[in-house]
Amino acid sequence: MELELAAEELTAVLNRLRRAQGQIAGIVRMIEEGRSCEEVVTQLAAVSRALDRAGFAIIAGGLQQCLAEENGGRPDAREHTRARLEKLFLSLA
């Protein structure tokens, strides 16, 4: 299954990932500077949420695409797609 996101969805996901990339670089600097554990963990939690949101946006787009492609398809194919998508969602939990 190849993922095709709409332009605005793709832009939003890429922006989240770039923001997370910047946050990770900031966390590395914080650790190198000897910043407090609380500050570092707070930033780690923020980047984790940003990555989760990007992942959920990609999965939601994939779900929408899969359902559209398999609408009217065989029940066993739909079940296989549902199981794959469920596994993806659980990998982010």
Side-chain angles (χ1 to χ4, degrees):
M1 170 177 73
E2 187 174 319
L3 180 63
E4 296 176 17
L5 294 176
E8 64 187 40
E9 292 170 332
L10 180 61
T11 299
V13 167
L14 290 174
N15 286 342
R16 284 188 194 278
L17 292 173
R18 287 185 184 110
R19 190 175 314 120
Q21 187 177 31
Q23 287 175 301
I24 292 170
I27 292 167
V28 169
R29 280 191 306 277
M30 290 172 72
I31 292 170
E32 291 172 343
E33 294 168 358
R35 302 277 289 272
S36 77
C37 180
E38 184 178 351
E39 290 175 308
V40 171
V41 170
T42 298
Q43 290 305 309
L44 283 171
V47 76
S48 178
R49 285 189 304 273
L51 291 173
D52 286 347
R53 287 181 179 165
F56 287 134
I58 290 170
I59 291 173
L63 175 61
Q64 187 176 29
Q65 179 183 337
C66 287
L67 292 176
E69 287 175 1
E70 295 192 18
N71 188 17
R74 297 184 339 261
D76 59 329
R78 285 194 307 265
E79 178 59 27
H80 177 71
T81 298
R82 188 207 58 77
R84 278 192 346 236
L85 291 169
E86 181 179 333
K87 185 176 179 180
L88 284 172
F89 273 112
L90 291 173
S91 73
L92 291 173

